[in-house]
mmCIF file with all atom_site columns, all heavy atoms in Angstrom:
data_model
loop_
_atom_site.group_PDB
_atom_site.id
_atom_site.type_symbol
_atom_site.label_atom_id
_atom_site.label_alt_id
_atom_site.label_comp_id
_atom_site.label_asym_id
_atom_site.label_entity_id
_atom_site.label_seq_id
_atom_site.pdbx_PDB_ins_code
_atom_site.Cartn_x
_atom_site.Cartn_y
_atom_site.Cartn_z
_atom_site.occupancy
_atom_site.B_iso_or_equiv
_atom_site.pdbx_formal_charge
_atom_site.auth_seq_id
_atom_site.auth_comp_id
_atom_site.auth_asym_id
_atom_site.auth_atom_id
_atom_site.pdbx_PDB_model_num
ATOM 1   N N   . THR C 1 1  ? 13.541 7.086   8.903  1.00 94.00 ? 1  THR C N   1
ATOM 2   C CA  . THR C 1 1  ? 13.594 5.628   8.863  1.00 94.00 ? 1  THR C CA  1
ATOM 3   C C   . THR C 1 1  ? 14.560 5.056   9.902  1.00 94.00 ? 1  THR C C   1
ATOM 4   O O   . THR C 1 1  ? 14.308 3.988   10.468 1.00 94.00 ? 1  THR C O   1
ATOM 5   C CB  . THR C 1 1  ? 13.982 5.128   7.457  1.00 94.00 ? 1  THR C CB  1
ATOM 6   O OG1 . THR C 1 1  ? 15.208 5.754   7.050  1.00 94.00 ? 1  THR C OG1 1
ATOM 7   C CG2 . THR C 1 1  ? 12.894 5.441   6.453  1.00 94.00 ? 1  THR C CG2 1
ATOM 8   N N   . LYS C 1 2  ? 15.642 5.759   10.185 1.00 94.00 ? 2  LYS C N   1
ATOM 9   C CA  . LYS C 1 2  ? 16.568 5.287   11.215 1.00 94.00 ? 2  LYS C CA  1
ATOM 10  C C   . LYS C 1 2  ? 15.913 5.275   12.595 1.00 94.00 ? 2  LYS C C   1
ATOM 11  O O   . LYS C 1 2  ? 16.053 4.315   13.358 1.00 94.00 ? 2  LYS C O   1
ATOM 12  C CB  . LYS C 1 2  ? 17.817 6.158   11.240 1.00 94.00 ? 2  LYS C CB  1
ATOM 13  C CG  . LYS C 1 2  ? 18.734 5.975   10.032 1.00 94.00 ? 2  LYS C CG  1
ATOM 14  C CD  . LYS C 1 2  ? 19.916 6.941   10.102 1.00 94.00 ? 2  LYS C CD  1
ATOM 15  C CE  . LYS C 1 2  ? 20.791 6.821   8.862  1.00 94.00 ? 2  LYS C CE  1
ATOM 16  N NZ  . LYS C 1 2  ? 21.910 7.797   8.885  1.00 94.00 ? 2  LYS C NZ  1
ATOM 17  N N   . ALA C 1 3  ? 15.197 6.348   12.896 1.00 95.00 ? 3  ALA C N   1
ATOM 18  C CA  . ALA C 1 3  ? 14.503 6.420   14.190 1.00 95.00 ? 3  ALA C CA  1
ATOM 19  C C   . ALA C 1 3  ? 13.369 5.400   14.244 1.00 95.00 ? 3  ALA C C   1
ATOM 20  O O   . ALA C 1 3  ? 13.124 4.776   15.293 1.00 95.00 ? 3  ALA C O   1
ATOM 21  C CB  . ALA C 1 3  ? 13.974 7.833   14.415 1.00 95.00 ? 3  ALA C CB  1
ATOM 22  N N   . SER C 1 4  ? 12.678 5.213   13.129 1.00 95.00 ? 4  SER C N   1
ATOM 23  C CA  . SER C 1 4  ? 11.593 4.230   13.069 1.00 95.00 ? 4  SER C CA  1
ATOM 24  C C   . SER C 1 4  ? 12.140 2.817   13.247 1.00 95.00 ? 4  SER C C   1
ATOM 25  O O   . SER C 1 4  ? 11.526 1.986   13.936 1.00 95.00 ? 4  SER C O   1
ATOM 26  C CB  . SER C 1 4  ? 10.853 4.333   11.732 1.00 95.00 ? 4  SER C CB  1
ATOM 27  O OG  . SER C 1 4  ? 10.295 5.613   11.558 1.00 95.00 ? 4  SER C OG  1
ATOM 28  N N   . PHE C 1 5  ? 13.298 2.549   12.636 1.00 95.00 ? 5  PHE C N   1
ATOM 29  C CA  . PHE C 1 5  ? 13.938 1.235   12.766 1.00 95.00 ? 5  PHE C CA  1
ATOM 30  C C   . PHE C 1 5  ? 14.185 0.914   14.241 1.00 95.00 ? 5  PHE C C   1
ATOM 31  O O   . PHE C 1 5  ? 13.894 -0.197  14.703 1.00 95.00 ? 5  PHE C O   1
ATOM 32  C CB  . PHE C 1 5  ? 15.255 1.218   11.991 1.00 95.00 ? 5  PHE C CB  1
ATOM 33  C CG  . PHE C 1 5  ? 15.938 -0.124  11.974 1.00 95.00 ? 5  PHE C CG  1
ATOM 34  C CD1 . PHE C 1 5  ? 15.849 -0.930  10.859 1.00 95.00 ? 5  PHE C CD1 1
ATOM 35  C CD2 . PHE C 1 5  ? 16.668 -0.588  13.067 1.00 95.00 ? 5  PHE C CD2 1
ATOM 36  C CE1 . PHE C 1 5  ? 16.484 -2.177  10.824 1.00 95.00 ? 5  PHE C CE1 1
ATOM 37  C CE2 . PHE C 1 5  ? 17.288 -1.821  13.052 1.00 95.00 ? 5  PHE C CE2 1
ATOM 38  C CZ  . PHE C 1 5  ? 17.192 -2.623  11.922 1.00 95.00 ? 5  PHE C CZ  1
ATOM 39  N N   . GLU C 1 6  ? 14.710 1.878   14.966 1.00 95.00 ? 6  GLU C N   1
ATOM 40  C CA  . GLU C 1 6  ? 15.032 1.646   16.382 1.00 95.00 ? 6  GLU C CA  1
ATOM 41  C C   . GLU C 1 6  ? 13.781 1.326   17.187 1.00 95.00 ? 6  GLU C C   1
ATOM 42  O O   . GLU C 1 6  ? 13.782 0.402   18.018 1.00 95.00 ? 6  GLU C O   1
ATOM 43  C CB  . GLU C 1 6  ? 15.735 2.875   16.959 1.00 95.00 ? 6  GLU C CB  1
ATOM 44  C CG  . GLU C 1 6  ? 16.193 2.683   18.400 1.00 95.00 ? 6  GLU C CG  1
ATOM 45  C CD  . GLU C 1 6  ? 16.969 3.876   18.932 1.00 95.00 ? 6  GLU C CD  1
ATOM 46  O OE1 . GLU C 1 6  ? 17.255 4.807   18.146 1.00 95.00 ? 6  GLU C OE1 1
ATOM 47  O OE2 . GLU C 1 6  ? 17.311 3.867   20.119 1.00 95.00 ? 6  GLU C OE2 1
ATOM 48  N N   . LEU C 1 7  ? 12.701 2.071   16.946 1.00 96.00 ? 7  LEU C N   1
ATOM 49  C CA  . LEU C 1 7  ? 11.455 1.828   17.671 1.00 96.00 ? 7  LEU C CA  1
ATOM 50  C C   . LEU C 1 7  ? 10.879 0.456   17.327 1.00 96.00 ? 7  LEU C C   1
ATOM 51  O O   . LEU C 1 7  ? 10.444 -0.283  18.219 1.00 96.00 ? 7  LEU C O   1
ATOM 52  C CB  . LEU C 1 7  ? 10.431 2.918   17.350 1.00 96.00 ? 7  LEU C CB  1
ATOM 53  C CG  . LEU C 1 7  ? 10.709 4.317   17.888 1.00 96.00 ? 7  LEU C CG  1
ATOM 54  C CD1 . LEU C 1 7  ? 9.621  5.292   17.425 1.00 96.00 ? 7  LEU C CD1 1
ATOM 55  C CD2 . LEU C 1 7  ? 10.793 4.309   19.412 1.00 96.00 ? 7  LEU C CD2 1
ATOM 56  N N   . LEU C 1 8  ? 10.856 0.114   16.045 1.00 96.00 ? 8  LEU C N   1
ATOM 57  C CA  . LEU C 1 8  ? 10.312 -1.171  15.623 1.00 96.00 ? 8  LEU C CA  1
ATOM 58  C C   . LEU C 1 8  ? 11.146 -2.336  16.157 1.00 96.00 ? 8  LEU C C   1
ATOM 59  O O   . LEU C 1 8  ? 10.604 -3.361  16.584 1.00 96.00 ? 8  LEU C O   1
ATOM 60  C CB  . LEU C 1 8  ? 10.255 -1.230  14.094 1.00 96.00 ? 8  LEU C CB  1
ATOM 61  C CG  . LEU C 1 8  ? 9.208  -0.330  13.421 1.00 96.00 ? 8  LEU C CG  1
ATOM 62  C CD1 . LEU C 1 8  ? 9.527  -0.147  11.945 1.00 96.00 ? 8  LEU C CD1 1
ATOM 63  C CD2 . LEU C 1 8  ? 7.813  -0.908  13.595 1.00 96.00 ? 8  LEU C CD2 1
ATOM 64  N N   . ALA C 1 9  ? 12.466 -2.170  16.160 1.00 95.00 ? 9  ALA C N   1
ATOM 65  C CA  . ALA C 1 9  ? 13.355 -3.232  16.643 1.00 95.00 ? 9  ALA C CA  1
ATOM 66  C C   . ALA C 1 9  ? 13.183 -3.496  18.125 1.00 95.00 ? 9  ALA C C   1
ATOM 67  O O   . ALA C 1 9  ? 13.404 -4.624  18.600 1.00 95.00 ? 9  ALA C O   1
ATOM 68  C CB  . ALA C 1 9  ? 14.806 -2.862  16.337 1.00 95.00 ? 9  ALA C CB  1
ATOM 69  N N   . ASN C 1 10 ? 12.779 -2.483  18.885 1.00 95.00 ? 10 ASN C N   1
ATOM 70  C CA  . ASN C 1 10 ? 12.603 -2.631  20.332 1.00 95.00 ? 10 ASN C CA  1
ATOM 71  C C   . ASN C 1 10 ? 11.167 -2.960  20.738 1.00 95.00 ? 10 ASN C C   1
ATOM 72  O O   . ASN C 1 10 ? 10.872 -3.070  21.930 1.00 95.00 ? 10 ASN C O   1
ATOM 73  C CB  . ASN C 1 10 ? 13.041 -1.343  21.039 1.00 95.00 ? 10 ASN C CB  1
ATOM 74  C CG  . ASN C 1 10 ? 14.544 -1.132  20.962 1.00 95.00 ? 10 ASN C CG  1
ATOM 75  O OD1 . ASN C 1 10 ? 15.324 -2.080  21.071 1.00 95.00 ? 10 ASN C OD1 1
ATOM 76  N ND2 . ASN C 1 10 ? 14.969 0.107   20.756 1.00 95.00 ? 10 ASN C ND2 1
ATOM 77  N N   . GLU C 1 11 ? 10.281 -3.106  19.747 1.00 94.00 ? 11 GLU C N   1
ATOM 78  C CA  . GLU C 1 11 ? 8.876  -3.402  20.031 1.00 94.00 ? 11 GLU C CA  1
ATOM 79  C C   . GLU C 1 11 ? 8.673  -4.910  20.162 1.00 94.00 ? 11 GLU C C   1
ATOM 80  O O   . GLU C 1 11 ? 8.793  -5.668  19.196 1.00 94.00 ? 11 GLU C O   1
ATOM 81  C CB  . GLU C 1 11 ? 7.978  -2.840  18.916 1.00 94.00 ? 11 GLU C CB  1
ATOM 82  C CG  . GLU C 1 11 ? 6.516  -3.152  19.065 1.00 94.00 ? 11 GLU C CG  1
ATOM 83  C CD  . GLU C 1 11 ? 5.932  -2.689  20.390 1.00 94.00 ? 11 GLU C CD  1
ATOM 84  O OE1 . GLU C 1 11 ? 6.182  -1.531  20.786 1.00 94.00 ? 11 GLU C OE1 1
ATOM 85  O OE2 . GLU C 1 11 ? 5.238  -3.507  21.036 1.00 94.00 ? 11 GLU C OE2 1
ATOM 86  N N   . LYS C 1 12 ? 8.370  -5.371  21.382 1.00 93.00 ? 12 LYS C N   1
ATOM 87  C CA  . LYS C 1 12 ? 8.281  -6.798  21.653 1.00 93.00 ? 12 LYS C CA  1
ATOM 88  C C   . LYS C 1 12 ? 7.015  -7.457  21.118 1.00 93.00 ? 12 LYS C C   1
ATOM 89  O O   . LYS C 1 12 ? 6.942  -8.681  21.003 1.00 93.00 ? 12 LYS C O   1
ATOM 90  C CB  . LYS C 1 12 ? 8.383  -7.040  23.159 1.00 93.00 ? 12 LYS C CB  1
ATOM 91  C CG  . LYS C 1 12 ? 9.737  -6.631  23.746 1.00 93.00 ? 12 LYS C CG  1
ATOM 92  C CD  . LYS C 1 12 ? 9.781  -6.873  25.248 1.00 93.00 ? 12 LYS C CD  1
ATOM 93  C CE  . LYS C 1 12 ? 11.145 -6.462  25.815 1.00 93.00 ? 12 LYS C CE  1
ATOM 94  N NZ  . LYS C 1 12 ? 11.205 -6.661  27.284 1.00 93.00 ? 12 LYS C NZ  1
ATOM 95  N N   . SER C 1 13 ? 5.982  -6.641  20.780 1.00 93.00 ? 13 SER C N   1
ATOM 96  C CA  . SER C 1 13 ? 4.708  -7.227  20.364 1.00 93.00 ? 13 SER C CA  1
ATOM 97  C C   . SER C 1 13 ? 4.685  -7.616  18.889 1.00 93.00 ? 13 SER C C   1
ATOM 98  O O   . SER C 1 13 ? 3.709  -8.212  18.420 1.00 93.00 ? 13 SER C O   1
ATOM 99  C CB  . SER C 1 13 ? 3.563  -6.242  20.638 1.00 93.00 ? 13 SER C CB  1
ATOM 100 O OG  . SER C 1 13 ? 3.615  -5.127  19.768 1.00 93.00 ? 13 SER C OG  1
ATOM 101 N N   . ILE C 1 14 ? 5.751  -7.290  18.131 1.00 96.00 ? 14 ILE C N   1
ATOM 102 C CA  . ILE C 1 14 ? 5.779  -7.610  16.706 1.00 96.00 ? 14 ILE C CA  1
ATOM 103 C C   . ILE C 1 14 ? 7.053  -8.376  16.351 1.00 96.00 ? 14 ILE C C   1
ATOM 104 O O   . ILE C 1 14 ? 8.036  -8.348  17.081 1.00 96.00 ? 14 ILE C O   1
ATOM 105 C CB  . ILE C 1 14 ? 5.680  -6.345  15.821 1.00 96.00 ? 14 ILE C CB  1
ATOM 106 C CG1 . ILE C 1 14 ? 6.891  -5.428  16.045 1.00 96.00 ? 14 ILE C CG1 1
ATOM 107 C CG2 . ILE C 1 14 ? 4.376  -5.606  16.076 1.00 96.00 ? 14 ILE C CG2 1
ATOM 108 C CD1 . ILE C 1 14 ? 6.943  -4.238  15.109 1.00 96.00 ? 14 ILE C CD1 1
ATOM 109 N N   . ASN C 1 15 ? 7.015  -9.035  15.205 1.00 97.00 ? 15 ASN C N   1
ATOM 110 C CA  . ASN C 1 15 ? 8.158  -9.790  14.687 1.00 97.00 ? 15 ASN C CA  1
ATOM 111 C C   . ASN C 1 15 ? 8.836  -8.935  13.619 1.00 97.00 ? 15 ASN C C   1
ATOM 112 O O   . ASN C 1 15 ? 8.616  -9.112  12.420 1.00 97.00 ? 15 ASN C O   1
ATOM 113 C CB  . ASN C 1 15 ? 7.669  -11.126 14.110 1.00 97.00 ? 15 ASN C CB  1
ATOM 114 C CG  . ASN C 1 15 ? 8.781  -11.921 13.456 1.00 97.00 ? 15 ASN C CG  1
ATOM 115 O OD1 . ASN C 1 15 ? 9.965  -11.704 13.728 1.00 97.00 ? 15 ASN C OD1 1
ATOM 116 N ND2 . ASN C 1 15 ? 8.410  -12.841 12.585 1.00 97.00 ? 15 ASN C ND2 1
ATOM 117 N N   . PHE C 1 16 ? 9.677  -8.013  14.064 1.00 97.00 ? 16 PHE C N   1
ATOM 118 C CA  . PHE C 1 16 ? 10.324 -7.085  13.143 1.00 97.00 ? 16 PHE C CA  1
ATOM 119 C C   . PHE C 1 16 ? 11.554 -7.741  12.522 1.00 97.00 ? 16 PHE C C   1
ATOM 120 O O   . PHE C 1 16 ? 12.429 -8.232  13.227 1.00 97.00 ? 16 PHE C O   1
ATOM 121 C CB  . PHE C 1 16 ? 10.723 -5.806  13.876 1.00 97.00 ? 16 PHE C CB  1
ATOM 122 C CG  . PHE C 1 16 ? 11.391 -4.777  13.005 1.00 97.00 ? 16 PHE C CG  1
ATOM 123 C CD1 . PHE C 1 16 ? 10.745 -4.272  11.887 1.00 97.00 ? 16 PHE C CD1 1
ATOM 124 C CD2 . PHE C 1 16 ? 12.667 -4.313  13.300 1.00 97.00 ? 16 PHE C CD2 1
ATOM 125 C CE1 . PHE C 1 16 ? 11.361 -3.326  11.077 1.00 97.00 ? 16 PHE C CE1 1
ATOM 126 C CE2 . PHE C 1 16 ? 13.290 -3.354  12.505 1.00 97.00 ? 16 PHE C CE2 1
ATOM 127 C CZ  . PHE C 1 16 ? 12.630 -2.869  11.387 1.00 97.00 ? 16 PHE C CZ  1
ATOM 128 N N   . ILE C 1 17 ? 11.635 -7.737  11.176 1.00 95.00 ? 17 ILE C N   1
ATOM 129 C CA  . ILE C 1 17 ? 12.726 -8.416  10.479 1.00 95.00 ? 17 ILE C CA  1
ATOM 130 C C   . ILE C 1 17 ? 13.738 -7.437  9.877  1.00 95.00 ? 17 ILE C C   1
ATOM 131 O O   . ILE C 1 17 ? 14.700 -7.864  9.238  1.00 95.00 ? 17 ILE C O   1
ATOM 132 C CB  . ILE C 1 17 ? 12.190 -9.342  9.374  1.00 95.00 ? 17 ILE C CB  1
ATOM 133 C CG1 . ILE C 1 17 ? 11.425 -8.534  8.317  1.00 95.00 ? 17 ILE C CG1 1
ATOM 134 C CG2 . ILE C 1 17 ? 11.320 -10.442 9.970  1.00 95.00 ? 17 ILE C CG2 1
ATOM 135 C CD1 . ILE C 1 17 ? 11.096 -9.333  7.065  1.00 95.00 ? 17 ILE C CD1 1
ATOM 136 N N   . GLY C 1 18 ? 13.514 -6.115  10.063 1.00 95.00 ? 18 GLY C N   1
ATOM 137 C CA  . GLY C 1 18 ? 14.482 -5.142  9.577  1.00 95.00 ? 18 GLY C CA  1
ATOM 138 C C   . GLY C 1 18 ? 14.021 -4.401  8.334  1.00 95.00 ? 18 GLY C C   1
ATOM 139 O O   . GLY C 1 18 ? 12.829 -4.375  8.003  1.00 95.00 ? 18 GLY C O   1
ATOM 140 N N   . ASN C 1 19 ? 14.971 -3.788  7.647  1.00 95.00 ? 19 ASN C N   1
ATOM 141 C CA  . ASN C 1 19 ? 14.674 -3.000  6.454  1.00 95.00 ? 19 ASN C CA  1
ATOM 142 C C   . ASN C 1 19 ? 14.376 -3.887  5.249  1.00 95.00 ? 19 ASN C C   1
ATOM 143 O O   . ASN C 1 19 ? 14.927 -4.978  5.100  1.00 95.00 ? 19 ASN C O   1
ATOM 144 C CB  . ASN C 1 19 ? 15.856 -2.088  6.111  1.00 95.00 ? 19 ASN C CB  1
ATOM 145 C CG  . ASN C 1 19 ? 16.022 -0.964  7.121  1.00 95.00 ? 19 ASN C CG  1
ATOM 146 O OD1 . ASN C 1 19 ? 15.042 -0.430  7.627  1.00 95.00 ? 19 ASN C OD1 1
ATOM 147 N ND2 . ASN C 1 19 ? 17.261 -0.591  7.403  1.00 95.00 ? 19 ASN C ND2 1
ATOM 148 N N   . VAL C 1 20 ? 13.512 -3.371  4.385  1.00 95.00 ? 20 VAL C N   1
ATOM 149 C CA  . VAL C 1 20 ? 13.135 -4.059  3.157  1.00 95.00 ? 20 VAL C CA  1
ATOM 150 C C   . VAL C 1 20 ? 13.249 -3.063  2.004  1.00 95.00 ? 20 VAL C C   1
ATOM 151 O O   . VAL C 1 20 ? 12.769 -1.935  2.109  1.00 95.00 ? 20 VAL C O   1
ATOM 152 C CB  . VAL C 1 20 ? 11.689 -4.596  3.235  1.00 95.00 ? 20 VAL C CB  1
ATOM 153 C CG1 . VAL C 1 20 ? 11.235 -5.135  1.889  1.00 95.00 ? 20 VAL C CG1 1
ATOM 154 C CG2 . VAL C 1 20 ? 11.571 -5.663  4.316  1.00 95.00 ? 20 VAL C CG2 1
ATOM 155 N N   . GLU C 1 21 ? 13.881 -3.487  0.908  1.00 93.00 ? 21 GLU C N   1
ATOM 156 C CA  . GLU C 1 21 ? 14.001 -2.611  -0.251 1.00 93.00 ? 21 GLU C CA  1
ATOM 157 C C   . GLU C 1 21 ? 12.771 -2.731  -1.151 1.00 93.00 ? 21 GLU C C   1
ATOM 158 O O   . GLU C 1 21 ? 12.128 -3.785  -1.210 1.00 93.00 ? 21 GLU C O   1
ATOM 159 C CB  . GLU C 1 21 ? 15.256 -2.956  -1.048 1.00 93.00 ? 21 GLU C CB  1
ATOM 160 C CG  . GLU C 1 21 ? 16.537 -2.665  -0.287 1.00 93.00 ? 21 GLU C CG  1
ATOM 161 C CD  . GLU C 1 21 ? 17.761 -2.821  -1.171 1.00 93.00 ? 21 GLU C CD  1
ATOM 162 O OE1 . GLU C 1 21 ? 17.918 -2.006  -2.096 1.00 93.00 ? 21 GLU C OE1 1
ATOM 163 O OE2 . GLU C 1 21 ? 18.546 -3.752  -0.923 1.00 93.00 ? 21 GLU C OE2 1
ATOM 164 N N   . ALA C 1 22 ? 12.465 -1.643  -1.868 1.00 91.00 ? 22 ALA C N   1
ATOM 165 C CA  . ALA C 1 22 ? 11.262 -1.586  -2.699 1.00 91.00 ? 22 ALA C CA  1
ATOM 166 C C   . ALA C 1 22 ? 11.241 -2.689  -3.752 1.00 91.00 ? 22 ALA C C   1
ATOM 167 O O   . ALA C 1 22 ? 10.180 -3.230  -4.077 1.00 91.00 ? 22 ALA C O   1
ATOM 168 C CB  . ALA C 1 22 ? 11.154 -0.217  -3.361 1.00 91.00 ? 22 ALA C CB  1
ATOM 169 N N   . ARG C 1 23 ? 12.415 -3.064  -4.266 1.00 90.00 ? 23 ARG C N   1
ATOM 170 C CA  . ARG C 1 23 ? 12.463 -4.076  -5.318 1.00 90.00 ? 23 ARG C CA  1
ATOM 171 C C   . ARG C 1 23 ? 12.045 -5.456  -4.826 1.00 90.00 ? 23 ARG C C   1
ATOM 172 O O   . ARG C 1 23 ? 11.744 -6.354  -5.622 1.00 90.00 ? 23 ARG C O   1
ATOM 173 C CB  . ARG C 1 23 ? 13.875 -4.156  -5.899 1.00 90.00 ? 23 ARG C CB  1
ATOM 174 C CG  . ARG C 1 23 ? 14.911 -4.671  -4.924 1.00 90.00 ? 23 ARG C CG  1
ATOM 175 C CD  . ARG C 1 23 ? 16.300 -4.655  -5.517 1.00 90.00 ? 23 ARG C CD  1
ATOM 176 N NE  . ARG C 1 23 ? 17.290 -5.167  -4.576 1.00 90.00 ? 23 ARG C NE  1
ATOM 177 C CZ  . ARG C 1 23 ? 18.597 -5.168  -4.810 1.00 90.00 ? 23 ARG C CZ  1
ATOM 178 N NH1 . ARG C 1 23 ? 19.053 -4.671  -5.954 1.00 90.00 ? 23 ARG C NH1 1
ATOM 179 N NH2 . ARG C 1 23 ? 19.433 -5.637  -3.902 1.00 90.00 ? 23 ARG C NH2 1
ATOM 180 N N   . ASP C 1 24 ? 12.034 -5.658  -3.500 1.00 92.00 ? 24 ASP C N   1
ATOM 181 C CA  . ASP C 1 24 ? 11.753 -6.980  -2.934 1.00 92.00 ? 24 ASP C CA  1
ATOM 182 C C   . ASP C 1 24 ? 10.335 -7.128  -2.378 1.00 92.00 ? 24 ASP C C   1
ATOM 183 O O   . ASP C 1 24 ? 9.955  -8.228  -1.977 1.00 92.00 ? 24 ASP C O   1
ATOM 184 C CB  . ASP C 1 24 ? 12.741 -7.278  -1.802 1.00 92.00 ? 24 ASP C CB  1
ATOM 185 C CG  . ASP C 1 24 ? 14.179 -7.363  -2.287 1.00 92.00 ? 24 ASP C CG  1
ATOM 186 O OD1 . ASP C 1 24 ? 14.381 -7.848  -3.412 1.00 92.00 ? 24 ASP C OD1 1
ATOM 187 O OD2 . ASP C 1 24 ? 15.077 -6.917  -1.545 1.00 92.00 ? 24 ASP C OD2 1
ATOM 188 N N   . ILE C 1 25 ? 9.556  -6.049  -2.363 1.00 91.00 ? 25 ILE C N   1
ATOM 189 C CA  . ILE C 1 25 ? 8.294  -6.120  -1.611 1.00 91.00 ? 25 ILE C CA  1
ATOM 190 C C   . ILE C 1 25 ? 7.271  -7.065  -2.232 1.00 91.00 ? 25 ILE C C   1
ATOM 191 O O   . ILE C 1 25 ? 6.414  -7.596  -1.521 1.00 91.00 ? 25 ILE C O   1
ATOM 192 C CB  . ILE C 1 25 ? 7.665  -4.719  -1.405 1.00 91.00 ? 25 ILE C CB  1
ATOM 193 C CG1 . ILE C 1 25 ? 7.305  -4.065  -2.737 1.00 91.00 ? 25 ILE C CG1 1
ATOM 194 C CG2 . ILE C 1 25 ? 8.582  -3.826  -0.584 1.00 91.00 ? 25 ILE C CG2 1
ATOM 195 C CD1 . ILE C 1 25 ? 6.605  -2.719  -2.566 1.00 91.00 ? 25 ILE C CD1 1
ATOM 196 N N   . LEU C 1 26 ? 7.358  -7.321  -3.542 1.00 90.00 ? 26 LEU C N   1
ATOM 197 C CA  . LEU C 1 26 ? 6.404  -8.225  -4.185 1.00 90.00 ? 26 LEU C CA  1
ATOM 198 C C   . LEU C 1 26 ? 6.882  -9.675  -4.192 1.00 90.00 ? 26 LEU C C   1
ATOM 199 O O   . LEU C 1 26 ? 6.204  -10.547 -4.733 1.00 90.00 ? 26 LEU C O   1
ATOM 200 C CB  . LEU C 1 26 ? 6.120  -7.777  -5.619 1.00 90.00 ? 26 LEU C CB  1
ATOM 201 C CG  . LEU C 1 26 ? 5.497  -6.389  -5.800 1.00 90.00 ? 26 LEU C CG  1
ATOM 202 C CD1 . LEU C 1 26 ? 5.265  -6.099  -7.282 1.00 90.00 ? 26 LEU C CD1 1
ATOM 203 C CD2 . LEU C 1 26 ? 4.194  -6.265  -5.034 1.00 90.00 ? 26 LEU C CD2 1
ATOM 204 N N   . SER C 1 27 ? 8.017  -9.929  -3.572 1.00 90.00 ? 27 SER C N   1
ATOM 205 C CA  . SER C 1 27 ? 8.586  -11.281 -3.592 1.00 90.00 ? 27 SER C CA  1
ATOM 206 C C   . SER C 1 27 ? 8.292  -12.067 -2.319 1.00 90.00 ? 27 SER C C   1
ATOM 207 O O   . SER C 1 27 ? 8.821  -13.160 -2.133 1.00 90.00 ? 27 SER C O   1
ATOM 208 C CB  . SER C 1 27 ? 10.101 -11.211 -3.810 1.00 90.00 ? 27 SER C CB  1
ATOM 209 O OG  . SER C 1 27 ? 10.732 -10.552 -2.713 1.00 90.00 ? 27 SER C OG  1
ATOM 210 N N   . GLY C 1 28 ? 7.462  -11.505 -1.437 1.00 91.00 ? 28 GLY C N   1
ATOM 211 C CA  . GLY C 1 28 ? 7.085  -12.226 -0.219 1.00 91.00 ? 28 GLY C CA  1
ATOM 212 C C   . GLY C 1 28 ? 8.102  -12.130 0.891  1.00 91.00 ? 28 GLY C C   1
ATOM 213 O O   . GLY C 1 28 ? 8.122  -12.969 1.790  1.00 91.00 ? 28 GLY C O   1
ATOM 214 N N   . VAL C 1 29 ? 8.937  -11.096 0.870  1.00 94.00 ? 29 VAL C N   1
ATOM 215 C CA  . VAL C 1 29 ? 9.992  -10.952 1.874  1.00 94.00 ? 29 VAL C CA  1
ATOM 216 C C   . VAL C 1 29 ? 9.432  -10.631 3.255  1.00 94.00 ? 29 VAL C C   1
ATOM 217 O O   . VAL C 1 29 ? 10.072 -10.903 4.274  1.00 94.00 ? 29 VAL C O   1
ATOM 218 C CB  . VAL C 1 29 ? 11.000 -9.871  1.443  1.00 94.00 ? 29 VAL C CB  1
ATOM 219 C CG1 . VAL C 1 29 ? 10.371 -8.484  1.453  1.00 94.00 ? 29 VAL C CG1 1
ATOM 220 C CG2 . VAL C 1 29 ? 12.260 -9.909  2.293  1.00 94.00 ? 29 VAL C CG2 1
ATOM 221 N N   . ALA C 1 30 ? 8.201  -10.064 3.318  1.00 96.00 ? 30 ALA C N   1
ATOM 222 C CA  . ALA C 1 30 ? 7.576  -9.730  4.598  1.00 96.00 ? 30 ALA C CA  1
ATOM 223 C C   . ALA C 1 30 ? 6.066  -9.867  4.471  1.00 96.00 ? 30 ALA C C   1
ATOM 224 O O   . ALA C 1 30 ? 5.512  -9.810  3.370  1.00 96.00 ? 30 ALA C O   1
ATOM 225 C CB  . ALA C 1 30 ? 7.952  -8.314  5.026  1.00 96.00 ? 30 ALA C CB  1
ATOM 226 N N   . ASP C 1 31 ? 5.407  -10.061 5.606  1.00 96.00 ? 31 ASP C N   1
ATOM 227 C CA  . ASP C 1 31 ? 3.942  -10.141 5.635  1.00 96.00 ? 31 ASP C CA  1
ATOM 228 C C   . ASP C 1 31 ? 3.313  -8.773  5.845  1.00 96.00 ? 31 ASP C C   1
ATOM 229 O O   . ASP C 1 31 ? 2.151  -8.556  5.491  1.00 96.00 ? 31 ASP C O   1
ATOM 230 C CB  . ASP C 1 31 ? 3.495  -11.080 6.761  1.00 96.00 ? 31 ASP C CB  1
ATOM 231 C CG  . ASP C 1 31 ? 4.124  -12.452 6.636  1.00 96.00 ? 31 ASP C CG  1
ATOM 232 O OD1 . ASP C 1 31 ? 3.953  -13.076 5.569  1.00 96.00 ? 31 ASP C OD1 1
ATOM 233 O OD2 . ASP C 1 31 ? 4.804  -12.886 7.592  1.00 96.00 ? 31 ASP C OD2 1
ATOM 234 N N   . VAL C 1 32 ? 4.075  -7.862  6.435  1.00 97.00 ? 32 VAL C N   1
ATOM 235 C CA  . VAL C 1 32 ? 3.650  -6.480  6.675  1.00 97.00 ? 32 VAL C CA  1
ATOM 236 C C   . VAL C 1 32 ? 4.817  -5.581  6.299  1.00 97.00 ? 32 VAL C C   1
ATOM 237 O O   . VAL C 1 32 ? 5.959  -5.855  6.678  1.00 97.00 ? 32 VAL C O   1
ATOM 238 C CB  . VAL C 1 32 ? 3.280  -6.253  8.160  1.00 97.00 ? 32 VAL C CB  1
ATOM 239 C CG1 . VAL C 1 32 ? 3.086  -4.772  8.455  1.00 97.00 ? 32 VAL C CG1 1
ATOM 240 C CG2 . VAL C 1 32 ? 2.035  -7.045  8.541  1.00 97.00 ? 32 VAL C CG2 1
#
């Protein structure tokens, strides 16, 4: 996940907002 975070954070084609915890995924914290 640390290596994935770095790649996602440097990817200009997406709107990466960072890490998301499992308890928050049903609350609309992210679209993907």
Side-chain angles (χ1 to χ4, degrees):
T1 54
K2 289 177 183 177
S4 300
F5 184 101
E6 184 176 354
L7 291 178
L8 290 162
N10 291 321
E11 177 56 47
K12 296 179 180 179
S13 70
I14 63 174
N15 176 21
F16 180 58
I17 62 169
N19 290 324
V20 172
E21 294 188 68
R23 66 183 181 185
D24 296 325
I25 62 177
L26 299 181
S27 64
V29 68
D31 304 304
V32 170

